[in-house]
Amino acid sequence: MSTYTPEGLDDAYAPDDAVDPADGPPAPPTLPQLGAVGWLRWAWRQLTSMRVALLLLMLLAVAAVPGSVWPQRSQAPERVAQYLVDHPTAGPWLERAGMFDVYSSAWFSAIYLLLFVSLVGCILPRTRAHLRALGARPPRTPRRFDRFPAQAAGTTGQGPEAVVRAAAGALRGRVRWLPRYRVDVQAEPAGADGTWTVSAERGYLRESGNLLFHLALVGLLVSIATGQLLHFRGQAIVVEGRGFANAQTVYDTFEAGSAFDPASLVPFTLRLDRFTSEFDPETLQSRDFLAEVTLTEPGEDPSAETIKVNHPLTAGGAKVYLQGNGYAPDVVVRDAEGEVAFSGPVPFLPQDEVYTSQGVIKVPDVSGDGAQIGLVGQLLPTAQQLTDTIWRSIDPQPTDPVLVLAVWQGDLGLDDGVPQNVYELDDTGMEQVTEPDGTPATLYVRPGETVELPDGLGTLELRDLPRFVALDLRRDPALPFVLVFALLAFAGLAVSLFTPRRRVWVRAAPDAEHPGRTVVRAAALARGDDVGLQAELDEIVGALALDPVGGADPAQPAPIPRATTRAPAEETKP
């Protein structure tokens, strides 16, 4: 029979005839084959390891960076379209890679799911092991306490069992249903001499906090994913005296998750009754914005509500935020035949702190074969004329408002089927109207005034100057869960970091030299550095009212002598 000896290892004590030359050279070792199941088990262990979970968490953060670098189609589809036009070479490649839909791309979802599986696979076995440890007894009391970093000793006239029971009560604490330590009281195996011991352990909350932190992370992942599927966000501009209904077709812009059901929108209505603003008279900085609205929810009577900055209104399960405000000139445009071609308020968007606002009035419904009209210009809430052609606003409040407009005529392009920005004029098929001297025709109109349009195009009347508000409605059903899991993660991390892991042992034995007295010795051990270990041991032993070792007068109690604290040693095995 041949014997295998690893190469390079010579056994000087092996006899020369240990290997029979007739057997030939030893056969090479046969390594076990891992197999498909073994490879799967190895891959699962790697995936559920803590280092891989941390790596995936870091990778998820890195994968989210492109979402802030390139425009996202779900948030700004017009910016994505413009990017593809401006970058004809790189744009298509970025689109194939999913850079314009990062958070719904296959590769981002794969990282997200792998992180979820990794956390779950890591938590489950640790939870089982932790539950088993919670039901286990504390470790047995070591025979010797010499090498422990925290020690105390003393004598007492009480019996060993009574001392140990008292020590167990001090270790448990005053709250019986929430003990400080898990304790185990027993007599020594060789208990013929009457020695009793108590072993105690605390700090399992450290692992509980760790597990709570990881479970909360899983909850956060599930909540965020659910919110991305079910959320919606819409923006609407509402003019004073008007309102809107909570329907998807009414919003100016609307985006929602892939699992969102439009039928889930609560059909409430919101009317803007009045909007007021306050500005600092010296610096013109905004002080307060207040939107007074009337809210009507299904089955409820109309109620007066207010919306302020950072004080949203809750309606139909959604938060209604005040995002912006401005002026919406209420104009009436009559064509060359005197027919009303356009009537209503037109929001003008503020451009600076004095509310110099830009806007466009598009008049497509002109009688007969007349050219369509486009009016582009600015609204100056408090106008100041610098030259014949230069005006500016000096105050955001409408003290002396003036509407300054340039006139265009031609084809607005509204019938081409291509979406247009309502705040911009597509002048591809338009021609600017000029004065006889060739200068651009400009209109200056104040509230209550009517001016003639050049070239006999008609008239323009500025009837009033109401305010408008930009409302942002958001609903994410997962937000309360995100908050709860975030707080649980913080609590679990705090418990994991600040809960000390300690073990305490107390041994009470009859004093052989002084019959009727008991020698008590105690020791404590912590996992890692713990500056409060000796103090806690002194507190526990101090509750036993011991005398110092050496037979001092019991009527004159002395403080418990402290042992010199040494560097924490490895845990002593019983």
Side-chain angles (χ1 to χ4, degrees):
M1 179 178 179
S2 61
T3 303
Y4 168 70
T5 303
E7 183 179 356
L9 179 63
D10 295 329
D11 190 354
Y13 300 97
D16 295 337
D17 57 352
V19 179
D20 188 356
D23 293 338
T30 302
L31 300 178
Q33 297 297 321
L34 199 56
V37 177
W39 279 109
L40 289 175
R41 186 182 293 111
W42 177 85
W44 174 255
R45 289 178 178 175
Q46 296 301 313
L47 178 62
T48 56
S49 64
M50 184 57 64
R51 61 179 180 273
V52 173
L54 293 175
L55 180 63
L56 289 172
L57 187 61
M58 184 180 299
L59 186 60
L60 186 68
V62 174
V65 172
S68 60
V69 174
W70 288 286
Q72 299 300 294
R73 185 169 281 106
S74 60
Q75 299 176 353
E78 70 284 352
R79 292 182 58 193
V80 175
Q82 187 62 40
Y83 189 93
L84 293 174
V85 172
D86 297 339
H87 303 80
T89 302
W93 287 101
L94 291 174
E95 187 170 23
R96 293 189 188 99
M99 293 303 173
F100 301 127
D101 296 283
V102 169
Y103 306 112
S104 59
S105 62
W107 50 271
F108 188 87
S109 300
I111 299 174
Y112 197 93
L113 292 175
L114 283 176
L115 177 60
F116 178 80
V117 173
S118 178
L119 286 175
V120 172
C122 177
I123 290 171
L124 290 179
R126 290 182 61 179
T127 302
R128 288 195 299 268
H130 182 56
L131 292 177
R132 287 196 300 267
L134 288 177
R137 300 171 63 181
R140 291 188 302 110
T141 304
R143 293 187 177 277
R144 302 182 61 181
F145 293 162
D146 299 342
R147 298 181 58 189
F148 285 102
Q151 303 174 28
T155 62
T156 180
Q158 301 182 30
E161 183 178 0
V163 172
V164 167
R165 299 291 181 186
L171 288 166
R172 290 192 183 96
R174 297 180 179 179
V175 183
R176 302 293 298 178
W177 56 271
L178 188 64
R180 295 170 57 199
Y181 282 84
R182 293 188 301 123
V183 299
D184 181 30
V185 177
Q186 59 181 344
E188 286 283 352
D193 59 351
T195 300
W196 283 76
T197 64
V198 57
S199 58
E201 187 173 19
R202 65 172 295 187
Y204 275 93
L205 281 179
R206 191 183 190 95
E207 179 64 11
S208 300
N210 198 0
L211 291 174
L212 176 62
F213 172 73
H214 288 85
L215 287 171
L217 285 184
V218 174
L220 278 175
L221 291 176
V222 174
S223 300
I224 293 174
T226 304
Q228 288 297 314
L229 292 174
L230 301 178
H231 85 288
F232 82 87
R233 179 179 181 181
Q235 292 79 33
I237 291 181
V238 184
V239 182
E240 280 182 326
R242 301 194 176 192
F244 83 103
N246 188 31
Q248 184 173 349
T249 56
V250 178
Y251 287 96
D252 298 315
T253 60
F254 190 87
E255 58 108 355
S258 57
F260 172 76
D261 183 8
S264 64
L265 290 176
V266 179
F268 66 86
T269 60
L270 194 69
R271 186 181 74 245
L272 177 62
D273 300 321
R274 185 168 177 262
F275 179 81
T276 56
S277 58
E278 295 181 9
F279 299 90
D280 187 279
E282 299 295 333
T283 63
L284 301 181
Q285 294 294 321
S286 59
R287 285 184 173 178
D288 189 30
F289 297 112
L290 176 64
E292 301 176 31
V293 300
T294 299
L295 172 64
T296 305
E297 296 188 283
E300 302 289 341
D301 294 331
S303 60
E305 306 288 348
T306 59
I307 309 175
K308 300 181 66 174
V309 178
N310 297 327
H311 292 82
L313 170 67
T314 301
K319 293 288 187 180
V320 184
Y321 296 89
L322 182 62
Q323 287 291 96
N325 65 89
Y327 297 94
D330 188 2
V331 299
V332 176
V333 180
R334 291 180 172 84
D335 58 22
E337 298 183 7
E339 300 292 335
V340 176
F342 180 86
S343 177
V346 181
F348 275 52
L349 301 182
Q351 304 298 312
D352 53 28
E353 67 277 1
V354 292
Y355 275 55
T356 302
S357 307
Q358 292 184 352
V360 176
I361 303 174
K362 299 180 182 181
V363 188
D365 300 326
V366 180
S367 301
D369 297 331
Q372 295 178 337
I373 302 171
L375 304 170
V376 184
Q378 294 182 331
L379 171 70
L380 309 176
T382 301
Q384 182 185 55
Q385 185 175 3
L386 302 179
T387 66
D388 292 340
T389 58
I390 299 178
W391 294 63
R392 71 172 183 176
S393 178
I394 60 175
D395 195 286
Q397 298 288 15
T399 306
D400 183 21
V402 174
L403 190 59
V404 183
L405 298 172
V407 184
W408 295 70
Q409 64 176 344
D411 182 11
L412 292 171
L414 300 178
D415 300 328
D416 297 340
V418 179
Q420 288 190 10
N421 190 335
V422 296
Y423 302 105
E424 295 180 358
L425 179 66
D426 184 4
D427 58 1
T428 304
M430 305 292 290
E431 179 183 358
Q432 188 171 10
V433 180
T434 60
E435 300 289 351
D437 60 0
T439 59
T442 305
L443 305 178
Y444 301 91
V445 57
R446 288 179 167 84
E449 296 181 349
T450 301
V451 297
E452 297 286 337
L453 298 178
D455 286 356
L457 295 175
T459 62
L460 170 69
E461 178 188 0
L462 178 57
R463 292 187 299 192
D464 197 3
L465 193 62
R467 301 295 297 265
F468 76 85
V469 294
L471 300 179
D472 185 35
L473 284 82
R474 308 177 190 177
R475 183 176 185 272
D476 188 343
L479 284 181
F481 298 96
V482 171
L483 176 61
V484 170
F485 285 120
L487 294 177
L488 289 177
F490 178 79
L493 185 61
V495 170
S496 176
L497 292 177
F498 297 108
T499 298
R501 186 76 181 269
R502 294 169 177 170
R503 290 176 177 174
V504 176
W505 297 277
V506 178
R507 174 180 285 110
D511 191 345
E513 298 180 359
H514 302 84
R517 297 192 64 81
T518 301
V519 177
V520 181
R521 299 188 182 276
L525 179 67
R527 175 171 292 183
D529 296 330
D530 191 342
V531 295
L533 183 63
Q534 182 67 52
E536 181 163 357
L537 181 64
D538 291 345
E539 178 184 356
I540 294 171
V541 177
L544 305 179
L546 302 181
D547 298 326
V549 176
D553 185 1
Q556 301 294 330
I560 301 173
R562 294 192 180 187
T564 303
T565 302
R566 297 184 291 271
E570 293 186 0
E571 180 178 339
T572 302
K573 299 297 182 181

